[in-house]
Amino acid sequence: MAAFTPHRASDSENCSSSNVQQRLQQVTHAVVVIFLEFFAWGLLTTPMLTVLRDVFPQHTFLMNGLVQGVKGFLSFLSAPLIGALSDIWGRKSFLLMTVFFTCAPIPFMKISPWWYFALISVSGIFAVTFSVIFAYVADITEEHERSTAYGLVSATFAASLVTSPAIGVYLSGQYGDSLVVLVATVIAVADIAFVFFVVPESLPDKMRLTSWGFPISWEQADPFASLRRVGKDTTVLLICVTVFLSYLPEAGQYSSFFLYLRQVIEFSPAAITGFIAMVGILSIVAQTVFFGVLMRTIGKKNTVLLGLAFQLFQLVWYGFGSEPWMMWAAGTVAAMSSITFPAISALVSHSASPDQQGVAQGMITGIRGLCNGLGPALYGFIFFLFNVELNEGEPMAGRSTASTQKLVVPGPPFLFGACSVIFALVVAFFIPERHQLAEVKTCTANKAGSSSAAHAQNGSPLAVPISDTEDLEPLLQDSVM
């Protein structure tokens, strides 16, 4: 019998190695989907600014904020529903749907600009790719691998922006915006085809069959009902408020920063693409190297706090910086702040049960979608309020004397964002550690009593006593229970 022991050990090791390789391959699928989608949109950085100026010549960024606001609000409304449905019907079909509708407006940039902006607004209903991707990654990875996988996915977003804006500027200068839109459309179609033909389903059949026995209610998919449940759970409330306060300035910054560099700081197009590439490369390093080390050494909560501290520093620097070198220096800090969202996603995923990953990530993505609507409009309004015009083509020398206040505070919206991040830091500080969360769950489980035991006989992770539904934590349920 002893002679067979090494053989059995070898078989076990081979099986384990095969499982790891399979998980790595499936994470690669998620990485490719994210890269292609945002690479296609990155190509359109310059053409998008041109279309914005042509369609909305007056108060360009106020109108951009309105368009993005509709998109963000629709994303906020739809994210919980899409996340909950993907928990039941699987990730692939919803991943295909989100990628298709997110990329659908691209060809209309040249076909009909008005239809382009209309479709961008409506596409917010399905613009929750990150929600489905993070749930997909949670399905295919072990808990100890999840933080690294989230960092890799987030780094892929940064990697897609390293070269795509520069390529878009080059193609636009040599061949015109029409070719750029065509190339972006082809890449978007390739992404849709990749999801359809290559990406496998991640949610196990047995989990989907179990979930089918307990279909979701409209209350579960209602974003406002989710917000009401959030208020009854301290941990979920703290996480969601942190996401809102930290991502609100980030969304506004992303919508206006490139044109701000060009018009106020007087960056050349080449300098802007170089800046994007630098921040993208450093973000990849931060999210693949430093992120994993920080998660292992200081933990999820402290990683979130560190990321918020970097974000606060770079926003203050952007707000008071008036020279190009200041922007370059602040960009290095901005790259380190990119660890915040994958750390928050890992914190949520670490606490949510396997069958609730889509709901949890959908809720976080929905809040980010709301910020994507409020942030651009808020930044545009503050720029307008402080007489910092961002309309393309207005020379710096031709501005009024009143606008010379920009020499003291060139970027007022960034200082507002810094104030928001200060509040986010304070809120995040009170997010409890995992063992504290487990204690709350234990008390809640005891409170449910024998009714929970009766429902447990159904063998479903979704089975909860109807009378105690409001007492149970809606999202952060311990995966070991």
Side-chain angles (χ1 to χ4, degrees), residues 256 260 379-388 390 410-414:
S256 61
Y260 175 79
Y379 265 51
F381 177 74
I382 295 176
F383 273 125
F384 175 77
L385 190 65
F386 281 83
N387 200 30
V388 181
L390 292 180
F414 303 114

Side-chain angles (χ1 to χ4, degrees), residues 151-468:
L152 182 61
V153 171
S154 297
T156 301
F157 168 72
S160 67
L161 297 179
V162 170
T163 56
S164 57
I167 293 174
V169 169
Y170 173 78
L171 292 177
S172 178
Q174 294 293 322
Y175 307 103
D177 290 348
S178 297
L179 180 64
V180 181
V181 174
L182 177 61
V183 173
T185 302
V186 171
I187 293 175
V189 171
D191 194 16
I192 296 170
F194 181 81
V195 175
F196 186 81
F197 292 106
V198 180
V199 175
E201 176 57 57
S202 64
L203 199 63
D205 290 339
K206 60 181 181 180
M207 187 175 293
R208 278 184 283 164
L209 290 174
T210 302
S211 300
W212 268 106
F214 295 88
I216 65 170
S217 64
W218 286 111
E219 183 182 3
Q220 183 182 1
D222 178 6
F224 298 102
S226 298
L227 292 179
R228 289 192 294 270
R229 291 197 299 270
V230 164
K232 298 178 182 179
D233 185 288
T234 305
T235 302
V236 181
L237 177 63
L238 292 174
I239 292 176
C240 290
V241 172
T242 300
V243 172
F244 180 82
L245 292 175
S246 63
Y247 194 70
L248 182 67
E250 183 177 339
Q253 175 182 325
Y254 183 77
S255 70
S256 61
F257 189 62
F258 300 143
L259 192 53
Y260 175 79
L261 289 177
R262 185 172 181 179
Q263 292 302 113
V264 179
I265 309 299
E266 297 183 300
F267 268 41
S268 66
I272 292 176
T273 56
F275 181 89
I276 295 172
M278 182 202 72
V279 175
I281 292 172
L282 293 178
S283 296
I284 294 171
V285 175
Q287 295 174 11
T288 55
V289 179
F290 291 106
F291 178 71
V293 174
L294 291 171
M295 293 291 280
R296 290 191 298 269
T297 55
I298 66 176
K300 298 176 179 63
K301 174 183 173 180
N302 290 330
T303 302
V304 172
L305 292 174
L306 183 61
L308 291 174
F310 279 119
Q311 185 182 7
L312 173 62
F313 187 30
Q314 59 105 353
L315 283 171
V316 171
W317 208 337
Y318 283 151
F320 286 106
S322 58
E323 298 295 332
W325 70 266
M326 296 180 179
M327 299 296 105
W328 288 96
T332 61
V333 181
M336 284 301 300
S337 70
S338 65
I339 64 175
T340 304
F341 181 61
I344 290 176
S345 295
L347 185 63
V348 172
S349 177
H350 189 63
S351 302
S353 61
D355 63 303
Q356 293 291 305
Q357 293 293 331
V359 174
Q361 299 296 345
M363 187 171 185
I364 298 300
T365 302
I367 293 176
R368 283 166 59 93
L370 186 61
C371 293
N372 281 329
L374 296 176
L378 190 60
Y379 265 51
F381 177 74
I382 295 176
F383 273 125
F384 175 77
L385 190 65
F386 281 83
N387 200 30
V388 181
E389 283 293 336
L390 292 180
N391 290 331
E392 179 80 19
E394 183 180 0
M396 292 285 294
R399 296 183 184 177
S400 64
T401 305
S403 66
T404 58
Q405 294 177 359
K406 70 179 180 58
L407 297 176
V408 179
V409 184
F414 303 114
L415 294 184
F416 166 82
C419 294
S420 179
V421 174
I422 289 176
F423 287 112
L425 268 168
V426 173
V427 173
F429 180 80
F430 292 98
I431 296 176
E433 301 291 347
R434 181 173 174 79
H435 70 275
Q436 295 173 323
L437 182 61
E439 291 174 1
V440 175
K441 292 189 183 81
T442 302
C443 295
T444 305
N446 293 335
K447 191 176 174 183
S450 59
S451 179
S452 296
H455 282 268
Q457 296 177 357
N458 293 328
S460 169
L462 294 179
V464 294
I466 298 175
S467 61
D468 295 324

Side-chain angles (χ1 to χ4, degrees), residues 32-74:
V32 171
V33 171
I34 289 293
F35 180 85
L36 291 177
E37 177 177 322
F38 289 97
F39 187 88
W41 280 106
L43 289 172
L44 301 175
T45 302
T46 298
M48 192 181 304
L49 295 177
T50 302
V51 173
L52 269 171
R53 185 191 68 237
D54 293 342
V55 178
F56 306 113
Q58 298 296 323
H59 308 306
T60 304
F61 272 82
L62 285 178
M63 296 305 300
N64 177 58
L66 179 61
V67 172
Q68 297 295 334
V70 174
K71 177 182 178 180
F73 186 70
L74 290 177

